[in-house]
Amino acid sequence: NAGVTQTPKFQVLKTGQSMTLQCAQDMNHNSMYWYRQDPGMGLRLIYYSASEGTTDKGEVPNGYNVSRLNKREFSLRLESAAPSQTSVYFCASSENGLVYNEQFFGPGTRLTVL
Amino acid sequence: AQSVSQHNHHVILSEAASLELGCNYSYGGTVNLFWYVQYPGQHLQLLLKYFSGDPLVKGIKGFEAEFIKSKFSFNLRKPSVQWSDTAEYFCAVTLSGGGADGLTFGKGTHLIIQP
């Protein structure tokens, strides 16, 4: 039982390049999330998927797109990377009961955009 | 929209000192509250959570937190810290029964324990 896994762990991009961050969970959770973590800012929600087939914007969605490929996988795409997207990206999942909103986090992807 | 304030951005303590980290949220409805910890180089782990019932909740590694509804607070405490408690601590809130929208995090408190 691996929990939440993310690939890659590290990535360096040049401005304008595109890439996709992958996330998978093996806990049979319905909901999945993408956050970014910046120094002094805490974690901010980029996008989330309440259930397979649905996605919604979070606090900071600009410059990103997501795909809920199936119940297990939720990817985050940067179409044209910018230096402001240099950050650590965390994927999370939760069971999504009405009360039980505890989220489980992956190990993160450290992205640098030059 | 709800927000979370953590008052102490950096805290330095000696081993065996007592710890209290402040957390206040701004939302008048029913909330679920969490404290997460991030050890150096690692991902976030849940320390404790409050959903309902006893406002004093106990978590892992000797941590506890008290939910005071009238003060919109959920402060984290530990009677005697250890060097291994050095980490970043995040308070987070989500609406109770609000479905699957994400957590709102505070900006974090960087805790350093000196041996």
Side-chain angles (χ1 to χ4, degrees):
Chain A
N1 191 337
V4 180
T5 56
Q6 293 182 235
T7 54
K9 286 186 166 51
F10 301 94
Q11 184 71 50
V12 178
L13 292 177
K14 294 181 179 178
T15 297
Q17 288 185 314
S18 62
M19 79 160 294
T20 300
L21 282 64
Q22 306 286 353
C23 174
Q25 52 91 11
D26 62 2
M27 296 174 282
N28 201 35
H29 284 170
N30 289 303
S31 302
M32 298 185 74
Y33 311 84
W34 276 105
Y35 293 89
R36 59 178 289 173
Q37 183 182 27
D38 302 294
M41 298 293 293
L43 279 82
R44 294 178 292 171
L45 183 66
I46 305 171
Y47 271 93
Y48 66 98
S49 170
S51 61
E52 187 179 353
T54 69
T55 60
D56 285 284
K57 294 178 181 179
E59 181 185 353
V60 288
N62 291 345
Y64 305 95
N65 286 300
V66 291
S67 296
R68 184 74 183 266
L69 304 170
N70 48 54
K71 191 172 185 179
R72 289 188 64 249
E73 298 172 288
F74 188 39
S75 63
L76 178 72
R77 183 161 178 84
L78 285 70
E79 291 291 351
S80 179
S84 61
Q85 294 179 304
T86 293
S87 187
V88 181
Y89 291 85
F90 288 99
C91 178
S93 70
S94 70
E95 188 176 342
N96 188 30
L98 285 180
V99 174
Y100 215 68
N101 284 332
E102 176 183 347
Q103 294 184 15
F104 296 83
F105 286 80
T109 295
R110 186 173 294 274
L111 175 66
T112 301
V113 182
L114 302 175
Chain B
Q2 66 263 33
S3 65
V4 178
S5 296
Q6 291 182 240
H7 312 298
N8 315 102
H9 299 299
H10 292 90
V11 174
I12 301 174
L13 295 174
S14 299
E15 277 194 312
S18 64
L19 170 71
E20 181 161 2
L21 300 182
C23 173
N24 287 90
Y25 64 94
S26 65
Y27 182 70
T30 304
V31 295
N32 298 329
L33 295 155
F34 306 82
W35 276 98
Y36 280 86
V37 61
Q38 186 177 30
Y39 298 104
Q42 297 189 26
H43 61 285
L44 276 79
Q45 302 170 44
L46 183 68
L47 266 182
L48 47 79
K49 60 195 176 193
Y50 172 80
F51 290 108
S52 63
D54 188 344
L56 184 62
V57 293
K58 295 190 183 300
I60 61 172
K61 304 186 181 187
F63 286 91
E64 65 179 30
E66 185 176 12
F67 170 53
I68 303 179
K69 189 174 182 180
S70 61
K71 294 185 177 181
F72 299 91
S73 69
F74 189 56
N75 292 353
L76 181 71
R77 301 195 292 246
K78 186 171 184 178
S80 177
V81 294
Q82 302 171 309
W83 176 79
S84 59
D85 293 324
T86 294
E88 189 101 20
Y89 292 81
F90 295 95
C91 182
V93 63
T94 189
L95 299 178
S96 179
D101 50 344
L103 292 166
T104 299
F105 283 86
K107 294 183 177 181
T109 297
H110 188 200
L111 175 65
I112 296 174
I113 306 300
Q114 297 176 330

